[in-house]
Amino acid sequence: MPLLNLGILAHVDAGKTSLTERLLHTAGVIDEIGSVDAGSTTTDTLALERRRGITIKSAVVSFPLDRVTVNLIDTPGHPDFIAEVERVLGVLDGAVLVVSAVEGVQAQTRVLMRTLRRLRIPTLVFVNKIDRRGARDTAVLRQLARRLAVPLVPMGTAAGLGTRAARFLPGLGPAAHEALADRDDVLLAALLDGAVPEARLRGALAAQTRDGSVHPVYFGSAITGAGVTELVDGIQGLLPAAAGDPDGPLSGTVFKVERGPAGEKVAYARLFSGTLRVRDRIPFGDGGKDPGRGANGRRETTTDREARPAGARATEGRVTALAVFDHGTDKRADSAGAGRIVKVWGLDGIRIGDALGTPGRSYEHHFAPPTLETVVVPGAGTDRRSLHLALTQLAEQDPLIGVRHDGLRGETSVSLYGEVQKEVVQATLADEYGLAVTFRETTTLCVERPAGTGHAVEFNKKDANPFLATVGLRVDPAPPGTGVAFRLEVELGSMPYAFFKAVEDTVRETLGQGLHGWQVVDCTVTMTHCGYSPRQSHAHQGFDKSMSSTGYDFRGLTPLVLTEALRRAGTLVHEPAHRFRLEAPADTLGALLPVLARLGAVPEATGTHGTTCVLEGTVPAARVHALEQRLPGLTRGEGELETAFDHYAPVTRGTVPERPRTDHNPLNRKEYLLNVTRRAGERPDRPSADPQATCS
């Protein structure tokens, strides 16, 4: 039977998990529908998920329908856990976007639909909760069209809104005909000539849905089951089945990593091609994605392909166990073919985003990076080393946690999307590791960008250079969002590749802390000079490290050169800016505008809809919370605010924010050398090494 990997996405409290339960019950996988409020749902397995009634981790559950087997992935709706949604997007064949008939379109709904459209993932829309008081149908449909600005095909209408008897009345009306004809000239001509057979309309609907041109809209209730049968028909008939050749080369992508009961790593992967078997020895690694992607989450371009052999971080592992999803649970299997979602044991070094076998789809960031940071404070009896290890393991499951350890101060920081994540980290550390923690005040994460071009070089055994290495680097600014690129202006064969690799890796690491302590993004670093001392040995003796260059020399010298190049280029600190959309009574505009100005918000568009005013613009992320607090008083409680990360903007108000350094501080040469060489002048005492190999 064909497979369909289906994602359920929505804003928080729209009813995703309840819909998942209803679909499982409809398919006969579960006998009783679980309750989010009672903490008895199938996919919310974490204790905190059951306590809070929200989904935190994505979960996979499988069920058979008449014509297709569905691997359904329930994802979090809370924006603090958008990273979980991001990792799932690359493995989906189709999606159902759930919208509440009461709350309507929310900020998260818009973010999700924009991303689904950009990735061209075929998507159905399910307007849930038509049985709830305050439910709307035509008003929500108009809101979907206006706020999402996507082609919609109403699959019917709702009746009995706001009552337990609410139901869905299927049928393609004139609005559906118009939406389909807009993208099919032949169908448009047929409609103008007269009636069109239902089968012809259904065929056009399926074709346009599968290529992401239109989005069918269903109304219903996950609690009562209204509209769910029709939604199931749409899932089977309108969304494309998984493709892939089971006899082709193995290719898959890891989208989730968790720890098993014994602490072993378990990887969740989608197989796009080939067949995976127990006891297979398979390569896995970066899968074509950039290993230099920084904590700010921006895409970093590939590092001079000619200067890097294939497989920047590739290794091999033997599959010791395998599980596939079937009838509501995961079952051990000896093999799994293309299209499947599998759980894999035995790959100890596996990470989220890694490719299995032949690299296929690269792992990319679709949503904004975390823009907040907090220091994790160990409680009484909590060992700092145990805490750091636990946080490192959590970062394996969620790379955007971005653990940052300050050895000098003995502090560990984590990056966050929001305050709810604090509670999750705190509860996870307590429940799974027995560690009690609290947090310091959340701060905003900034980045640095080069203001101009800077160049620096240090030569082997010259000008008080204590390292047996020559390194020259030039830093150039790059367009926003392009990340970091490393280039060579020297011949690749002029010194051992390992030394080039040491320089590149150290460049990327050093850019984690710029002149003001923030990560440096959007720049090109070019190696302009290189040089080394070849292997030296004395008669009847072995390799003499004191006279020969090693990776230590290049790793030690590069931060000094790069920091000096950055100092000459200068850097500007940029803070995260959010795009906001604010709806409020028109007569409150006079009170709103001065407050927005004081908070650094810049309105860029103003419109009115009757007695309602709509403002759109940007506001510094650090002032979003203050705006949320002021809004009710300024708008008589009628204001509605949506915000989402948009870009990084130069800091132009107040003092430039600084971030404490956690490295050996290459900004202070004396301090750096003391830290790196243990005592001043340790390495310079090495005898001169001749001959020297240099290049520029």
Side-chain angles (χ1 to χ4, degrees), residues 592-653:
L592 274 171
L593 289 177
V595 173
L596 291 172
R598 286 196 294 271
L599 294 175
V602 181
E604 297 172 353
T606 305
T608 56
H609 300 283
T611 60
T612 301
C613 174
V614 179
L615 293 175
E616 295 187 12
T618 59
V619 59
R623 296 176 176 83
V624 169
H625 183 59
L627 179 56
E628 291 172 338
Q629 288 182 315
R630 297 287 304 275
L631 189 62
L634 293 168
T635 62
R636 303 189 297 272
E638 299 179 41
E640 294 182 8
L641 177 68
E642 293 179 12
T643 67
F645 173 85
D646 189 66
H647 66 284
Y648 284 95
V651 175
T652 57
R653 300 158 59 99

Side-chain angles (χ1 to χ4, degrees), residues 106-145:
Q106 304 290 295
Q108 186 80 338
T109 315
R110 296 169 54 143
V111 170
L112 292 170
M113 180 55 89
R114 280 199 301 267
T115 307
L116 291 166
R117 292 280 294 177
R118 187 169 69 250
L119 299 177
R120 297 196 69 80
I121 296 175
T123 302
L124 311 180
V125 178
F126 185 71
V127 180
N128 190 27
K129 301 185 180 181
I130 64 171
D131 59 317
R132 297 288 182 87
R133 181 179 299 175
R136 301 162 295 155
D137 54 355
T138 55
V140 170
L141 194 59
R142 286 196 301 269
Q143 192 183 50
L144 286 167

Side-chain angles (χ1 to χ4, degrees), residues 398-655:
D398 185 355
L400 292 182
I401 281 181
V403 174
R404 181 175 184 265
H405 185 64
D406 185 343
L408 183 64
R409 298 169 183 80
E411 296 177 347
T412 301
S413 303
V414 294
S415 54
L416 303 168
Y417 277 100
E419 295 298 313
V420 176
Q421 261 186 302
K422 281 186 180 180
E423 181 182 346
V424 172
V425 172
Q426 186 177 45
T428 303
L429 290 172
D431 296 344
E432 298 184 14
Y433 298 92
L435 301 174
V437 301
T438 56
F439 301 93
R440 289 196 192 149
E441 183 180 359
T442 302
T443 57
T444 302
L445 275 172
C446 299
V447 298
E448 294 181 48
R449 289 192 174 111
T453 295
H455 178 257
V457 60
E458 294 209 22
F459 294 96
N460 191 348
K461 297 298 293 180
K462 291 183 180 179
D463 301 324
N465 175 8
F467 301 101
L468 289 180
T470 294
V471 174
L473 298 171
R474 185 179 69 247
V475 177
D476 295 293
T482 56
V484 173
F486 183 77
R487 304 285 183 243
L488 295 179
E489 281 187 359
V490 295
E491 292 294 330
L492 183 59
S494 56
M495 68 178 185
Y497 173 77
F499 295 161
F500 286 114
K501 188 67 168 63
V503 172
E504 179 191 347
D505 289 347
T506 307
V507 162
R508 294 189 179 279
E509 181 181 351
T510 304
L511 289 176
Q513 300 182 74
L515 303 183
H516 300 277
W518 304 103
Q519 182 176 11
V520 181
V521 300
D522 303 329
C523 65
T524 299
V525 179
T526 304
M527 191 168 187
T528 59
H529 296 74
C530 67
Y532 74 107
S533 296
R535 294 173 66 93
Q536 304 291 317
S537 60
H538 298 292
H540 311 297
Q541 294 182 9
F543 170 41
D544 187 349
K545 291 184 179 179
S546 68
M547 301 176 64
S548 311
S549 296
T550 65
Y552 163 90
D553 293 287
F554 289 91
R555 288 190 297 271
L557 180 59
T558 297
L560 288 173
V561 177
L562 180 58
T563 301
E564 182 58 30
L566 280 174
R567 201 194 310 263
R568 294 175 182 178
T571 64
L572 294 175
V573 176
H574 290 62
E575 62 182 341
H578 282 213
R579 178 155 293 280
F580 72 85
R581 184 179 191 278
L582 196 161
E583 288 191 12
D587 61 357
T588 64
L589 186 61
L592 274 171
L593 289 177
V595 173
L596 291 172
R598 286 196 294 271
L599 294 175
V602 181
E604 297 172 353
T606 305
T608 56
H609 300 283
T611 60
T612 301
C613 174
V614 179
L615 293 175
E616 295 187 12
T618 59
V619 59
R623 296 176 176 83
V624 169
H625 183 59
L627 179 56
E628 291 172 338
Q629 288 182 315
R630 297 287 304 275
L631 189 62
L634 293 168
T635 62
R636 303 189 297 272
E638 299 179 41
E640 294 182 8
L641 177 68
E642 293 179 12
T643 67
F645 173 85
D646 189 66
H647 66 284
Y648 284 95
V651 175
T652 57
R653 300 158 59 99
T655 306

Side-chain angles (χ1 to χ4, degrees), residues 108-364:
Q108 186 80 338
T109 315
R110 296 169 54 143
V111 170
L112 292 170
M113 180 55 89
R114 280 199 301 267
T115 307
L116 291 166
R117 292 280 294 177
R118 187 169 69 250
L119 299 177
R120 297 196 69 80
I121 296 175
T123 302
L124 311 180
V125 178
F126 185 71
V127 180
N128 190 27
K129 301 185 180 181
I130 64 171
D131 59 317
R132 297 288 182 87
R133 181 179 299 175
R136 301 162 295 155
D137 54 355
T138 55
V140 170
L141 194 59
R142 286 196 301 269
Q143 192 183 50
L144 286 167
R146 178 169 58 89
R147 302 278 291 276
L148 300 184
V150 298
L152 303 171
V153 178
M155 299 299 292
T157 58
L161 285 171
T163 70
R164 294 287 291 183
R167 63 195 186 279
F168 179 61
L169 305 176
L172 294 177
H177 296 177
E178 182 180 340
L180 294 171
D182 279 347
R183 289 153 189 84
D184 187 331
D185 291 341
V186 176
L187 179 61
L188 175 60
L191 285 170
L192 292 175
D193 289 340
V196 175
E198 182 77 6
R200 174 72 177 85
L201 286 171
R202 293 283 174 179
L205 175 64
Q208 293 187 31
T209 301
R210 286 171 183 163
D211 68 13
S213 297
V214 299
H215 305 286
V217 181
Y218 298 82
F219 291 87
S221 168
I223 298 300
T224 67
V228 173
T229 300
E230 291 78 9
L231 176 64
V232 168
D233 289 341
I235 291 171
Q236 293 188 98
L238 301 178
L239 297 179
D245 180 7
D247 298 321
L250 178 67
S251 180
T253 299
V254 175
F255 66 92
K256 178 177 177 178
V257 174
E258 64 183 17
R259 293 273 177 175
E264 74 280 15
K265 279 190 175 182
V266 184
Y268 289 66
R270 160 75 188 269
L271 301 181
F272 294 103
S273 173
T275 298
L276 184 63
R277 299 175 179 85
V278 175
R279 293 183 294 279
D280 277 356
R281 189 165 187 83
I282 63 169
F284 62 89
D286 288 324
K289 76 178 189 302
D290 225 352
R293 184 190 302 283
N296 73 314
R298 289 303 188 192
R299 184 74 179 161
E300 295 178 356
T301 58
T302 333
T303 305
D304 198 348
R305 298 275 182 197
E306 296 182 356
R308 181 200 299 277
R313 188 193 65 81
T315 185
E316 286 192 348
R318 188 178 300 279
V319 177
T320 59
L322 197 63
V324 298
F325 294 89
D326 189 29
H327 282 78
T329 186
D330 56 283
K331 298 180 179 179
R332 293 298 176 104
D334 294 326
S335 64
R340 283 279 192 181
I341 290 179
V342 296
K343 293 173 68 174
V344 187
W345 285 260
L347 309 180
D348 290 339
I350 200 74
R351 301 188 308 198
I352 289 172
D354 278 355
L356 301 183
T358 304
R361 303 185 188 184
S362 61
Y363 175 71
E364 297 183 5

